Every structure is written in C-alpha cells, then in structure tokens.
Amino acid sequence: VSHRARIEHAARLRAVSATTEPARDADILFQAGLRRQQAGSLDEAEAFYRRALEADPKNLSALNNMGVICMSQKRDKEAIDIFTRLIDVKGDWADPYYNLACLYSRQGDVPRSLWYLKVALWMNKGLREWARNDSDLEPLRSKPEYQKIVN
C-alpha cells in the first residue's frame, strides 16, 4: 500500500469518526462529570458538563445535572433558567419538572412546587417513591394535595 493510499484511508477514517466523535466525546465528558458530581466535586463536575455540552449541545442530561448543581449551590435563578430551557426543548421529560418542584419547595413556593411535582409524577410514576423520601419536598409533606399526588 502506497503512502498516498494510507493517507487517503486515514483521511476517510477521520471523516467517518468526525461524525460520531462529538456524541462519544460528550458522553465520556458527561460520565466524568457524573463521577465527580457523585464524589461531591461539584465545580469539577460542572466544568465537565460544560465541555460535554460544547461537544454535543443536545446532551440534555449534562444540562440537567448542571441545573442540579446550581440548585445545590443555591444558584436558584440559574437552575430555574436551565430547567425551563430543558422543558422548552424536551417537554415530555419528567426530570426538569421534578427538579423545579424541589427548587420551589425549598423556596417555600408551595403552589408552584405542587404543580411541577404533579406534572413530573404524571409523566413518570416511578418518581413517586423518590418524592416520598426527598428531603427537598419536606415543606410539602403536610399538604393534602401532596399526599394526593404521591399516593
């Protein structure tokens, strides 16, 4: 095989991998961010999520987890903006609704929190058990509507 043929073959491989690498790179960066988030290294996790979004702007899980980090760091306005954007992009995904329910519950906005919780649990019944034990939703527990939603 000639040198020119090897170069052309390598160029074709790069062209093919260029179409798949951004999503793969984004997933690798997302996984690195997730590991750091689970370890409590939130600033590092957020940096990895930002890089994942640069590689693949459609990586909604990275964006959602950035919102969760913002929430945990009391950057509520930024978290609300992120979760609202996620709802605009993928309105049938329960996670941003659930996260907004938690955020508004922590802020003491019971009606708004209950509305987001109701929507999230309607979309994903599997979140009911999570909601029963989530400390962020503690301010709602005594409300009859909360009992009706989670049971």
Side-chain angles (χ1 to χ4, degrees), residues 11 41 43 68 73 76 79 100 104 115:
S41 300
D43 291 337
V68 171
Q73 295 178 335
D76 290 355
L100 283 169
Y104 287 122
W115 186 86

Side-chain angles (χ1 to χ4, degrees), residues 39-104:
S41 300
L42 301 183
D43 291 337
E44 288 180 34
E46 185 174 356
F48 274 103
Y49 293 143
R50 286 190 190 283
R51 289 177 53 204
L53 286 164
E54 288 170 11
D56 179 10
K58 295 179 182 172
N59 189 323
L60 302 182
S61 294
L63 189 57
N64 185 65
N65 285 11
M66 279 181 47
V68 171
I69 289 171
C70 290
M71 230 173 74
S72 70
Q73 295 178 335
K74 308 285 191 251
R75 293 163 35 205
D76 290 355
K77 182 176 179 350
E78 193 174 347
I80 290 168
D81 290 345
I82 288 171
F83 297 136
T84 302
R85 192 163 99 202
L86 282 167
I87 289 169
D88 288 344
V89 172
K90 186 165 175 53
D92 62 345
W93 188 26
D95 288 19
Y97 289 94
Y98 185 86
N99 289 331
L100 283 169
C102 291
L103 190 146
Y104 287 122

Side-chain angles (χ1 to χ4, degrees), residues 8-29:
E8 288 173 357
H9 177 69
R12 281 194 302 276
L13 285 177
R14 275 194 304 278
V16 168
S17 68
T19 61
T20 59
E21 281 187 31
R24 184 176 34 205
D25 290 348
D27 187 54
I28 290 167
L29 291 164

